[in-house]
Amino acid sequence: GNSVTQMEGPVTLSEEAFLTINCTYTATGYPSLFWYVQYPGEGLQLLLKATKADDKGSNKGFEATYRKETTSFHLEKGSVQVSDSAVYFCALGVNTGNQFYFGTGTSLTVIP
Amino acid sequence: NAGVTQTPKFQVLKTGQSMTLQCAQDMNHEYMSWYRQDPGMGLRLIHYSVGAGITDQGEVPNGYNVSRSTTEDFPLRLLSAAPSQTSVYFCASSKQGGTEAFFGQGTRLTVV
């Protein structure tokens, strides 16, 4: 079946620290992989995506590489800011039925 | 750019009451879906639709009904609300092919 497992939170970092949020998946077929971000009181926004193996998605200093051999899509940022405080969701999308599967979310708090 | 619009943003219901959560999108997306978000459980798919007149059940469909009479609208109906349906509900839309989903701002529902 299809599922996503991501790192439990919450995560608290100091400003300018390095961030890694782990995400692994199981999937039938060839999924696309996504990271969504949810700021307090808001809906989910697409942060980055990768549609095939070895693709790297990047946006706002965040990066994630689609690793088929390890079935992973870890999110990284070299220097976090207070404004990055949010909940981050890893997700996979499958063509059949256009369904999406989400991880449980990782809450990130960045302190000055 | 309206995107995906959900109404209402907040709602309090008494046990046994019924209500409809509205969702509309103006991007001509074929695929629409409803999720509920609960602490520690990520987003769980309630119902989805791959086009007007076609709906199907997701992971947690019990207690909810949907219909898709137009491409733009995908309302979610609670026929007899229960406290277990207290949650944040998100509507999403996407084009066929596993591309990213676009989310509404969410409806926070409390059933007392």
Side-chain angles (χ1 to χ4, degrees):
Chain A
N2 300 302
S3 67
V4 174
T5 302
Q6 70 178 96
M7 181 173 133
E8 296 275 341
V11 174
T12 302
L13 294 174
S14 297
E15 207 165 20
E16 299 184 3
F18 184 85
L19 169 71
T20 299
I21 301 178
N22 290 336
C23 172
T24 58
Y25 68 90
T26 59
T28 54
Y30 303 95
S32 296
L33 300 174
F34 308 90
W35 277 100
Y36 282 86
V37 59
Q38 184 181 31
Y39 298 103
E42 298 186 10
L44 278 71
Q45 304 171 28
L46 179 67
L47 180 60
L48 54 84
K49 68 177 181 179
T51 57
K52 61 183 187 297
D54 299 326
D55 271 3
K56 177 185 281 188
S58 61
N59 186 26
K60 299 180 181 180
F62 292 89
E63 293 183 340
T65 302
Y66 188 164
R67 302 280 189 203
K68 188 177 176 185
E69 64 276 11
T70 55
T71 61
S72 65
F73 194 56
H74 305 322
L75 182 68
E76 296 182 336
K77 186 174 185 183
S79 177
V80 295
Q81 305 302 311
V82 172
S83 58
D84 295 327
S85 298
V87 180
Y88 293 81
F89 290 91
C90 185
L92 69 85
V94 293
N95 289 337
T96 305
N98 231 54
Q99 295 190 44
F100 294 85
Y101 299 83
F102 288 85
T104 54
T106 301
S107 174
L108 170 67
T109 301
V110 180
I111 55 177
Chain B
N1 287 341
V4 179
T5 303
Q6 287 183 239
T7 55
K9 286 188 167 52
F10 302 93
Q11 183 71 50
V12 179
L13 288 179
K14 294 183 178 179
T15 297
Q17 285 185 316
S18 62
M19 79 160 294
T20 300
L21 280 62
Q22 301 292 343
C23 176
Q25 53 96 5
D26 61 358
M27 297 173 282
N28 202 32
H29 285 168
E30 301 91 344
Y31 187 75
M32 296 185 75
S33 52
W34 277 101
Y35 294 86
R36 58 178 289 173
Q37 182 182 23
D38 301 293
M41 303 190 77
L43 276 74
R44 292 182 292 169
L45 182 64
I46 303 171
H47 285 284
Y48 65 98
S49 169
V50 299
I54 306 169
T55 64
D56 207 345
Q57 297 181 350
E59 181 185 359
V60 288
N62 292 342
Y64 308 95
N65 281 352
V66 292
S67 60
R68 183 98 179 267
S69 56
T70 66
T71 299
E72 295 78 18
D73 299 299
F74 191 46
L76 178 73
R77 297 183 186 86
L78 284 70
L79 298 179
S80 179
S84 61
Q85 294 178 304
T86 294
S87 187
V88 180
Y89 291 86
F90 288 101
C91 179
S93 74
S94 63
K95 291 190 69 64
Q96 285 285 357
T99 58
E100 66 266 29
F102 294 80
F103 285 83
Q105 294 296 297
T107 297
R108 184 174 294 275
L109 175 67
T110 302
V111 182
V112 297

